[in-house]
Amino acid sequence: MLTSCTNAIVLTVNGDDHMLVVEPNDLLINVLRNDLGLTGAKYGCGTGQCGACTVLIDGQPTLSCITLAVACDGKKVTTIEGITGPDGGLHPIQEEFLNENAVQCGFCTPGMILMAGDLLQRNPHPTEDEIRHHIKGNICRCTGYNGIVRAIQNAAQRMAAGEKPLEALGTTVREVVKR
Amino acid sequence: MTDADKPTKYRLIGLALPRHDALDKVYGQTKYADDFTMPGTLHAKVLRSRYAAARIVSIDTSAAERMPGVHAVLTARDVPRNETTSKFGQTHSAGGFEGLYRVLADKKVRYMGEAVALVAAETPETAAQALRAIDVVYEPQPGVFDPVEALKPDAYRVGEEDTNVVCSYKVRKGDVDAAFARADVVVENEYRVPFGDHVYLEPESGTAWIDEDGVLTIRASTQVIEHFRDVADILRLPHNKVRVIAPMLGGGFGGKEDITVEAYLALLAYRTKRPVKLTYTREESILSHSKRHPYVMRYKTAATADGKLVAMECELISDAGGYPFLSPWVLLYSTVMATGPYKIPNVKVDAHAVLTNNTFTSAYRGFGAPQVCFAYESQMDAVAAQLGLTPLAFRMKNYLHTGDELGTGYALESAVLTDETAERALAALGEPTKPRSPWEKIGRGIASGMQSYGRLVYLHDSSRSFVGFELDGTVVVRCGVQDIGGGQTSSIAQITAEVLGVSMQDVTVYFGDTALTPLAGTTTATRMLYMSGNATLKAARAVRDALVTKAAEMLDASPDRIAMADKTFRVVGDKDHSLSLIEVLEACASDGIPLSNLAQFNAPAREVKESANVEGQIHPDYTFGTHAAEVAVDTVTGQVTVLKLVAAFDVGQAINRLSAEGQLEGGTACGAGYALLEDVKMDRGRTVTCALDTYLVPTAADLPDVTTIMIESGGGMGPFGAKGIGEPSSTSSAPAVTNAVADAIGIRLTRLPVSPERILTALKEGQAKRDDAVSRRVPELA
Ligand code: FES
Ligand code: FES
């Protein structure tokens, strides 16, 4: 085997800094799942076509199955495990996913919740059409999307009425240690 | 949502409760198959055939075996029993329904993607390199890729037998030919439906290891933990030395009913004595695992001028692909349900499943019902048009009711409310949408369907469940269900909580483990609520009866006057006397009265008849419902926009209103995908749609909000009168959409999916079959 040139990187994942040694071709999804034990991001296709592996990088939804870990050096990564409500319990989006049965097998759920958070941060009052278009890169095979769309609509109302947006949660910004 | 506010006689049954498994899922904490790792795990990969039809001349694994980090390379000769006659997870001898299951290709490959060799290595990369180092010499064969071709006497032989026919069934009732001769309208059409992929979001995955007691343990994404028997047979191990655990699944839809990774993992773990993990890539999943059967269906339907169906003749040819798997069963379902929810005095069905060198086909939500539903519901609209009747009016004259006979002669025993579902589904479409441009056409369609719930009565199906109190008043259920995402375990918790007067949070359900949970059968065939719901209900009631008897004794009242709710026993009409649950549990424990019960529920059973003639009762019961759709067709681009979708079903009794509604919504969405998008394209056995940008499934932007209408007849055979809904919710969705498209453009397309290309071709050439072009009026005196 060829000696590979490994890289040391720093990822801030859900507020915690991690110094990691990765191969140049290591994918973010594998680093999160295998090295950090954060299995919330799911492998559904590996080719950027299903959205199951969605995470937020510096607040931007990103498909971790087609993102190299080295490219995330010094960045803030938020996974589903970093999403909680103001009191450490459920975030309104999560609560509405429960109430509206937006969760069946749950395999699309982490990606969907992160996309929902992203949408509501950019657009606090989305129409049904805007919701559907925002999540169209995330496949759900179980729900027909009904419950998911309803949940996002309900969460939008609650957040418009003063509950916390996703962005402020789970991503306590810390000084990133540059290598 | 309708019927939601009506008063209920139950405390929890029928309520819209957040599912008890959903909390972990919104936190991203649920550990699916691939989320679980053992220390020292090796990574497996599967070498798959590059040819659809070939002889294997030789396999040289020596270079792969020598590679550092490679721990095992296995081929057919390393498998103790490479060929089993699998009963596919069944708990009872399945008679004529067994099929060959070959673990690794031997001498011959029968479809592209068939497994030829297995590798276990330290890293996935090493395993992949080892695959490339295996030298397989193939001698390509001509193969056969069309089931109609494969039926010909001189066709290439896919398997080792001297015929490609897997099985044939027929139904005969009355005299169709005489009826056709007398009928006022006869419509004849040929329909074709494509291969479908399940696209469960979680690809096939699992880990196997040998535990501290020497038991070969497999934790895998499966709808059938009872494949432990197949795995044991393959390794020639006693059945009690193999354990299968099914964690929460990321979807199944029938695709995880057949064995997937289990045997490969078991062989590699047994050989290496190390934990081994295998997760398919999406490409591998689409290429190599089972598909929905494509069918060629010839239908001839006749009616009298006053709108009565008098005859239906159906010829069904199913493409079984390279191996039989569940094709015989799927075909039997199609045969029984070929004529749909209609009362028809003269019926003739001939059905054949045929091997080809295409990817093998097997279970897929609907199990043979969606194919025929597309055909018979297209026929119903075509006949209605000939008669000058509306689709609803024609159907209303012909729906089956309780007591009416199917083509097989079985008289329906349970509630049949198809009429009501049809009227309400159509009404729910509301005012027609206005076209947005001169070239946009709006159309509406309905389609009714029938779909069995519970397995074939030949299978003598049963389920077991254990329900018990702990001394603190919490409850444990042990039931070997597989939870594929439909709320299977949550419904079991809800049923238990209802009966035992506790909250759902007080109930823990252990599920899906052949070593720890009593076997409950498969999570397939829309059977889990029906079978395991009934088993759980039976066990919970037995526990309740024991406790109530004890409480009655302690309160000095007769047991029928004792109410058990909210963890308290009360004497009805007597406010002063009550006992806490804990008091009664302690008393029972001290008196040696069991706090638990293990119950078994048996479905109706029949013996298999050794005849191709299908007669009498085949399934325990059926669910009936109707879908309605409104679509807009852009006649310039051929693009279809689904504007409205309605699903109206008699669900018997919703157990969890949210889950039942979710099944209706999700099933309807899948059906819309079948109608418009989904098509596994194969070119001489080579799948050319191996990714999700070529095999398209509906996204949120492709679908409207699905309106659900639940009617609760209470007439089902499940707990509290529930009917099964998982598969029925999908079956009639596709023809509702295609009937709407036909209504919009005035041309009936007889091939799925109804893609923009097909619509444009039909519109441009104007030579697609119009209803009137393919049917003929029979002269009065003929
Ligand atoms: S796994 Fe990344 S998009 Fe599907
Ligand atoms: S809940 Fe199963 S894929 Fe969305």
Side-chain angles (χ1 to χ4, degrees):
Chain A
M1 261 221 252
L2 293 171
T3 331
S4 44
C5 68
T6 52
N7 301 48
I9 61 166
V10 176
L11 294 183
T12 307
V13 184
N14 301 331
D16 293 330
D17 299 332
H18 297 274
M19 176 85 82
L20 295 156
V21 176
V22 298
E23 307 272 330
N25 62 350
D26 272 344
L27 293 164
L28 180 61
I29 186 174
N30 292 336
V31 170
L32 292 172
R33 290 176 57 81
N34 302 338
D35 298 342
L36 301 180
L38 296 170
T39 55
K42 302 296 178 206
Y43 171 91
C45 70
T47 50
Q49 292 162 344
C50 77
C53 64
T54 303
V55 298
L56 303 179
I57 296 184
D58 288 343
Q60 294 294 316
T62 305
L63 298 171
S64 64
C65 75
I66 50 169
T67 301
L68 292 173
V70 283
C72 304
D73 188 14
K75 298 194 172 162
K76 282 181 290 172
V77 181
T78 306
T79 70
I80 188 68
E81 289 92 340
I83 304 301
T84 51
D87 54 354
L90 289 164
H91 185 268
I93 298 175
Q94 291 169 314
E95 210 162 75
E96 292 304 330
F97 266 62
L98 291 181
N99 293 340
E100 291 295 342
N101 197 38
V103 181
Q104 288 194 26
C105 81
F107 211 73
C108 69
T109 306
M112 286 289 187
I113 287 177
L114 291 168
M115 286 306 285
D118 173 61
L119 171 67
L120 297 184
Q121 198 196 329
R122 292 163 198 260
N123 178 359
H125 304 285
T127 63
E128 180 184 337
D129 221 45
E130 286 167 341
I131 294 172
R132 288 185 176 275
H133 276 89
H134 193 78
I135 59 169
K136 72 179 178 204
N138 290 57
I139 291 175
C140 174
R141 200 55 165 160
C142 304
T143 64
Y145 307 100
N146 266 33
I148 296 171
V149 173
R150 283 195 307 260
I152 298 174
Q153 285 170 327
N154 295 355
Q157 280 176 13
R158 287 177 54 178
M159 286 157 69
E163 292 191 54
K164 292 256 181 186
L166 199 58
E167 177 247 0
L169 305 160
T171 52
T172 26
V173 186
R174 292 189 197 175
E175 199 59 39
V176 175
V177 187
K178 292 276 175 211
R179 74 194 146 90
Chain B
M1 226 189 304
T2 52
D3 294 330
D5 305 322
K6 71 171 193 204
T8 158
K9 49 183 183 273
Y10 305 117
R11 218 166 40 84
L12 297 174
I13 296 300
L15 299 189
L17 300 174
R19 274 165 39 180
H20 90 315
D21 57 309
L23 191 63
D24 277 355
K25 290 176 177 175
V26 298
Y27 279 133
Q29 292 301 326
T30 302
K31 294 293 176 215
Y32 300 87
D34 188 67
D35 299 339
F36 173 88
T37 306
M38 304 276 288
T41 294
L42 298 174
H43 298 268
K45 291 222 180 269
V46 184
L47 182 70
R48 299 186 176 278
S49 168
R50 291 185 289 121
Y51 296 91
R55 302 212 154 273
I56 297 176
V57 179
S58 62
I59 307 179
D60 182 357
T61 57
S62 53
E65 277 161 33
R66 282 197 304 271
M67 289 173 60
V70 172
H71 290 257
V73 183
L74 306 181
T75 63
R77 63 170 190 274
D78 302 305
V79 185
R81 195 166 147 200
N82 194 40
E83 292 184 2
T84 59
T85 315
S86 178
K87 296 178 181 69
F88 304 109
Q90 194 38 51
T91 49
H92 181 271
S93 169
F97 294 101
E98 299 137 334
L100 166 71
Y101 172 59
R102 182 175 286 151
V103 183
L104 294 174
D106 192 12
K107 301 185 187 75
K108 194 175 190 183
V109 292
R110 292 165 60 159
Y111 66 96
M112 187 174 299
E114 183 171 354
V116 176
L118 308 172
V119 168
E122 291 288 345
T123 66
E125 293 74 23
T126 309
Q129 283 170 355
L131 288 192
R132 287 193 286 275
I134 299 172
D135 185 19
V136 185
V137 179
Y138 295 98
E139 188 186 295
Q141 299 293 311
V144 60
F145 306 98
D146 178 315
V148 179
E149 286 296 312
L151 274 175
K152 293 182 177 161
D154 58 346
Y156 172 78
R157 294 287 183 256
V158 175
E160 288 74 28
E161 299 79 30
D162 59 1
T163 172
N164 290 326
V165 177
V166 176
C167 61
S168 299
Y169 303 118
K170 60 185 173 189
V171 173
R172 294 288 183 271
K173 180 185 184 186
D175 180 347
V176 285
D177 292 325
F180 286 132
R182 281 197 307 272
D184 298 307
V185 169
V186 180
V187 170
E188 209 173 337
N189 275 314
E190 183 180 291
Y191 299 92
R192 282 174 187 259
V193 290
F195 287 97
D197 191 275
H198 311 79
V199 191
Y200 20 73
L201 204 53
E202 176 204 34
E204 297 81 348
S205 178
T207 295
W209 67 94
I210 296 170
D211 78 5
E212 58 276 23
D213 299 318
V215 174
L216 182 54
T217 306
I218 305 157
R219 185 182 188 275
S221 181
T222 176
Q223 295 176 241
V224 183
I225 56 176
E226 292 185 41
H227 284 310
F228 79 90
R229 295 192 194 87
D230 297 309
V231 172
D233 290 346
I234 288 161
L235 276 97
R236 296 192 192 281
L237 291 172
H239 286 187
N240 63 3
K241 291 294 176 207
V242 177
R243 169 184 182 185
V244 175
I245 302 167
M248 284 281 170
L249 266 64
F253 312 112
K256 295 168 183 170
E257 176 167 0
D258 294 304
I259 208 161
T260 63
V261 296
E262 298 94 309
Y264 307 152
L265 287 169
L267 287 160
L268 291 168
Y270 202 69
R271 170 64 70 94
T272 62
K273 308 288 180 243
R274 296 261 301 262
V276 183
K277 184 172 192 168
L278 173 59
T279 300
Y280 287 0
T281 63
R282 176 62 59 187
E283 182 185 16
E284 190 174 20
S285 173
I286 298 179
L287 174 74
S288 68
H289 196 54
S290 78
K291 299 285 158 284
R292 173 182 271 164
H293 295 79
Y295 275 42
V296 181
M297 301 174 280
R298 293 195 197 101
Y299 267 71
K300 191 173 175 185
T301 309
T304 56
D306 63 350
K308 281 282 181 195
L309 279 170
V310 290
M312 184 108 73
E313 182 178 280
C314 325
E315 189 195 358
L316 313 174
I317 297 175
S318 143
D319 185 343
Y323 285 91
F325 284 88
L326 294 165
S327 292
W329 301 8
V330 171
L331 189 76
L332 182 58
Y333 275 55
S334 303
T335 307
V336 174
M337 293 180 251
T339 52
Y342 302 107
K343 193 174 165 178
I344 310 172
N346 302 288
V347 173
K348 181 179 176 195
V349 185
D350 285 287
H352 311 280
V354 191
L355 292 173
T356 65
N357 292 101
N358 293 320
T359 308
F360 77 90
T361 44
S362 195
Y364 190 135
R365 193 177 201 168
F367 211 77
Q371 289 93 332
V372 293
C373 188
F374 168 61
Y376 65 71
E377 283 303 85
S378 297
Q379 286 290 97
M380 288 303 285
D381 268 23
V383 175
Q386 286 293 300
L387 290 166
L389 290 171
T390 65
L392 178 66
F394 178 47
R395 285 176 173 81
M396 292 296 282
K397 288 171 185 282
N398 291 290
Y399 284 129
L400 287 164
H401 294 108
T402 309
D404 289 340
E405 284 184 5
L406 305 182
T408 64
Y410 167 69
L412 294 168
E413 294 166 73
S414 81
V416 185
L417 301 181
T418 327
D419 326 46
E420 192 181 338
T421 66
E423 286 176 325
R424 291 182 64 178
L426 188 60
L429 287 181
E431 285 300 306
T433 306
K434 301 243 176 328
R436 288 165 297 189
S437 69
W439 49 87
E440 186 174 81
K441 304 271 185 236
I442 305 293
R444 297 180 150 207
I446 58 167
S448 299
M450 68 180 283
Q451 171 95 52
S452 53
Y453 61 94
R455 306 185 86 189
L456 297 169
V457 291
Y458 302 140
L459 299 176
H460 297 233
D461 199 10
S462 60
S463 175
R464 283 144 292 269
S465 186
F466 168 97
V467 175
F469 270 109
E470 300 297 345
L471 286 173
D472 65 352
T474 59
V475 178
V476 168
V477 180
R478 294 187 180 88
C479 184
V481 306
Q482 299 81 188
D483 195 315
I484 67 174
Q488 282 82 11
T489 53
S490 190
S491 293
I492 279 174
Q494 198 168 344
I495 290 167
T496 307
E498 170 79 33
V499 176
L500 296 183
V502 297
S503 76
M504 249 168 100
Q505 286 68 41
D506 290 320
V507 182
T508 292
V509 182
Y510 292 100
F511 65 96
D513 185 334
T514 59
L516 297 182
T517 56
L519 297 180
T522 65
T523 301
T524 68
T526 310
R527 72 178 278 289
M528 202 36 97
L529 176 63
Y530 164 44
M531 297 296 298
S532 300
N534 273 329
T536 303
L537 183 61
K538 199 170 159 186
R541 281 184 173 154
V543 172
R544 181 195 167 98
D545 286 350
L547 266 57
V548 164
T549 306
K550 184 70 204 168
E553 185 192 308
M554 292 164 76
L555 289 165
D556 199 16
S558 87
D560 54 8
R561 289 189 55 224
I562 301 293
M564 176 186 183
D566 305 324
K567 300 189 182 175
T568 311
F569 293 82
R570 291 189 181 79
V571 182
V572 178
D574 172 357
K575 281 201 228 49
D576 304 332
H577 292 90
S578 69
L579 287 167
S580 75
L581 173 61
I582 306 280
E583 287 174 290
V584 178
L585 288 172
E586 281 171 354
C588 286
S590 110
D591 287 3
I593 298 166
L595 305 180
S596 62
N597 183 270
L598 170 62
Q600 171 155 340
F601 176 77
N602 297 324
R606 266 185 71 198
E607 297 314 314
V608 186
K609 281 202 2 186
E610 293 299 327
S611 149
N613 231 336
V614 182
E615 286 167 5
Q617 184 177 16
I618 311 298
H619 297 104
D621 193 21
Y622 300 88
T623 297
F624 298 86
T626 303
H627 283 93
E630 186 183 79
V631 302
V633 183
D634 184 320
T635 54
V636 176
T637 62
Q639 202 66 45
V640 177
T641 310
V642 183
L643 301 170
K644 295 174 189 166
L645 276 175
V646 184
F649 277 78
D650 171 17
V651 302
Q653 165 70 52
I655 300 298
N656 185 336
R657 194 159 300 277
L658 279 180
S659 294
E661 200 176 86
Q663 287 298 309
L664 290 180
E665 293 167 346
T668 304
C670 278
Y674 190 41
L676 298 174
L677 296 170
E678 300 188 29
D679 189 1
V680 178
K681 293 199 178 79
M682 284 184 214
D683 176 19
R684 296 186 63 76
R686 174 188 294 273
T687 302
V688 295
T689 49
C690 276
L692 299 178
D693 60 348
T694 44
Y695 186 80
L696 301 178
V697 298
T699 69
D702 297 326
L703 294 169
D705 194 55
V706 178
T707 305
T708 57
I709 298 169
M710 276 190 264
I711 298 166
E712 295 180 298
S713 65
M717 296 175 69
F720 307 101
K723 288 197 169 201
I725 195 68
E727 293 174 280
S729 60
S730 195
T731 294
S732 45
S733 171
V737 172
T738 57
N739 283 344
V741 171
D743 181 47
I745 64 173
I747 301 171
R748 177 163 302 282
L749 293 166
T750 53
R751 212 176 167 142
L752 292 184
V754 175
S755 61
E757 297 78 13
R758 288 196 175 126
I759 288 174
L760 281 188
T761 310
L763 286 170
K764 273 191 197 126
E765 297 176 3
Q767 49 180 228
K769 295 171 199 161
R770 287 171 189 272
D771 291 347
D772 52 0
V774 293
S775 57
R776 64 196 160 86
R777 254 186 204 271
V778 176
E780 223 88 52
L781 293 172

